[in-house]
Amino acid sequence: EMFYDVSRRQYNANEMLQYLHAMEHPQADYKLLLVQEDIFIPILTYIFGQAVYKGNTGVVSLYRLRNEQYGLEPDLPLLAKRTWKVITHEVGHMLGLGHSHVPTCVMRSSTYVEDIDQKNRYLCPQCMEKIALRRSSGNG
């Protein structure tokens, strides 16, 4: 299958982004791929999502956002909240935001699903200000 790494039994997010970037879509300024498979980048064991910094493509995986992955009962509202946060995080990268050091900011890096649960669903005031400054200066 495309993007599948047999030795890791996961899908390569960088290859997905390259493919998505190359796809022509005249009405899409930004493209975000939502997948159910487990994804990785070569330097990490797994990731929840990946986006091109100041680019127009991103990928988000539901695989490790599901409670069932951790032996817990399914929780669709929690899955929806986690998915929203990861999508918001990746779109933030596309808009030029780096990782935040504010513990509750959605732009803080997440290593574990618990990290995602501890974050708010929205940008912190500092990240909002960065976005506003970019937009007002015509850089975003």
Side-chain angles (χ1 to χ4, degrees), residues 73-92:
E73 289 296 313
D75 186 335
L76 287 178
L78 182 58
L79 175 62
K81 284 181 189 174
R82 289 172 175 167
T83 304
W84 171 270
K85 290 175 187 182
V86 177
I87 289 172
T88 303
H89 182 97
E90 299 310 334
V91 169

Side-chain angles (χ1 to χ4, degrees), residues 11-122:
Y11 291 79
N12 188 317
N14 288 337
E15 291 178 5
M16 290 177 166
L17 288 177
Q18 289 171 357
Y19 180 81
L20 194 59
H21 180 74
M23 287 177 64
E24 292 294 325
H25 197 293
Q27 286 130 354
D29 290 334
Y30 294 92
K31 298 176 269 188
L32 185 87
L33 182 63
L34 190 62
V35 299
Q36 295 191 52
E37 289 80 12
D38 196 16
I39 61 176
F40 76 97
I41 57 174
I43 61 168
L44 295 174
T45 306
Y46 65 87
I47 57 173
F48 301 110
Q50 175 85 345
V52 177
Y53 180 73
K54 291 187 179 179
N56 70 343
T57 53
V59 61
V60 170
S61 169
L62 299 175
Y63 187 84
R64 292 179 188 263
L65 301 179
R66 297 178 187 280
N67 265 1
E68 301 90 314
Q69 180 65 27
Y70 309 99
L72 302 171
E73 289 296 313
D75 186 335
L76 287 178
L78 182 58
L79 175 62
K81 284 181 189 174
R82 289 172 175 167
T83 304
W84 171 270
K85 290 175 187 182
V86 177
I87 289 172
T88 303
H89 182 97
E90 299 310 334
V91 169
H93 287 319
M94 288 188 243
L95 296 175
L97 291 177
H99 285 141
S100 174
H101 297 293
V102 175
T104 57
C105 181
V106 76
M107 288 308 299
R108 184 173 55 87
S109 181
S110 296
T111 304
Y112 304 104
V113 75
E114 292 86 0
D115 297 330
I116 297 170
D117 293 340
Q118 292 170 0
K119 297 191 290 188
N120 291 329
R121 291 184 293 162
Y122 305 103

